[in-house]
Amino acid sequence: MGTGNLIIIGGAEDKTGECLILKSFVEISGASKANIVIITTATEKSIEAGSQYKSLFIGLGAGNVSFLNINTREEAESDQNAMLIAEATGIFFTGGDQLRITSILGGTKIYETLHQAWKSGAVIAGTSAGASAMSRTMIVDGNDNDPARKCTLKMAPGLGLLDRALIDQHFHQRGRIGRLLCGVAENPSILGIGIDEDTAVRVFPDDHFEVIGSNSVMVVDGKSILSSNVSELMPDENLAIANVVLHVLPAGYGYDMVNRKVLRVEEKQWK
């Protein structure tokens, strides 16, 4: 367990209005004293994405903001790049392709430094693909707006910052409940967390999270599952699950991932 926080964003977060989620990230990172590094590995439009978020974070009061375009494993072994991560108070992963994040960064100096920074108290945030990559096992691909079918779900190792859960993003907007249910059926010991657009969870060091943003988060708890046919499915067969528990949580709610309990959260500033 790290001593830092995670901010896991479902994608398409507000960038023109109150910017509540991005503002929360800047404030938790230290506001005017923040040293934020944006990692654009997930996207092939790295200059565009990095510049956009840099402008946003500076506009929201961040003291120092830079972005790292790491496109190769060689660049991920750079001492200079690792030093930027080590000195950051906030680290932000853009959207794109989550498999680029893990395949380029996994096992490198940047990967090790990222974990050390988090354990030392840095805030790590990710949106869309950057959100999916946070967990130890991540969803790489699966059909949207489809019934749950085992053969349509593709998973891979993630960054390993979140142990207890499987993350999915753009959740209700892209109809992804089927694929999240399938992921939980395959491993009922982990929680499925589906995060809507313009919505995020802030995960605290004690492994509870609180919801930020304008939409909702769905928690799929598979511990109570009595039976499923996930290990028996042939291609294109529908999934059957008995006794799965679902929670839908907007802002003002949170969730204790250790004791698997819904929490009510007091209205407060995100400091």
Side-chain angles (χ1 to χ4, degrees), residues 98-161:
Q98 53 265 45
L99 203 52
R100 277 182 58 85
I101 296 173
T102 55
S103 64
I104 292 172
L105 303 186
T108 65
K109 194 163 288 181
I110 287 287
Y111 177 89
E112 298 300 332
T113 308
L114 180 73
H115 277 257
Q116 289 164 12
W118 177 59
K119 289 174 183 174
S120 299
V123 184
I124 299 181
T127 184
S128 192
S132 287
M134 295 281 188
S135 49
R136 187 161 299 281
T137 301
M138 67 180 183
I139 294 175
V140 175
D141 197 14
N143 291 352
D144 297 344
N145 295 304
D146 235 14
R149 294 187 176 100
K150 181 181 179 183
C151 65
T152 62
L153 185 69
K154 180 180 177 186
M155 293 196 283
L159 290 173
L161 296 165

Side-chain angles (χ1 to χ4, degrees), residues 9 11-13 15 22 37-54 56-57 66-70 91-101 105 124-134 159 169-170:
I9 308 165
E13 68 281 357
K15 300 180 185 70
L22 298 180
V37 175
I38 302 157
I39 298 180
T40 59
T41 302
T43 178
E44 294 180 351
K45 297 179 178 178
S46 53
I47 303 298
E48 184 180 315
S51 299
Q52 180 190 35
Y53 279 107
K54 181 175 180 176
L56 282 165
F57 292 147
S66 59
F67 63 88
L68 267 181
N69 177 24
I70 301 171
I91 300 157
F92 186 90
F93 284 88
T94 67
D97 177 357
Q98 53 265 45
L99 203 52
R100 277 182 58 85
I101 296 173
L105 303 186
I124 299 181
T127 184
S128 192
S132 287
M134 295 281 188
L159 290 173
Q169 22 78 12
H170 299 283

Side-chain angles (χ1 to χ4, degrees), residues 166-188:
L166 181 67
I167 300 293
D168 210 349
Q169 22 78 12
H170 299 283
F171 191 64
H172 282 109
Q173 289 75 16
R174 298 190 185 176
R176 289 179 165 173
I177 186 170
R179 71 187 207 176
L180 189 60
L181 283 167
C182 191
V184 172
E186 289 183 5
N187 187 359

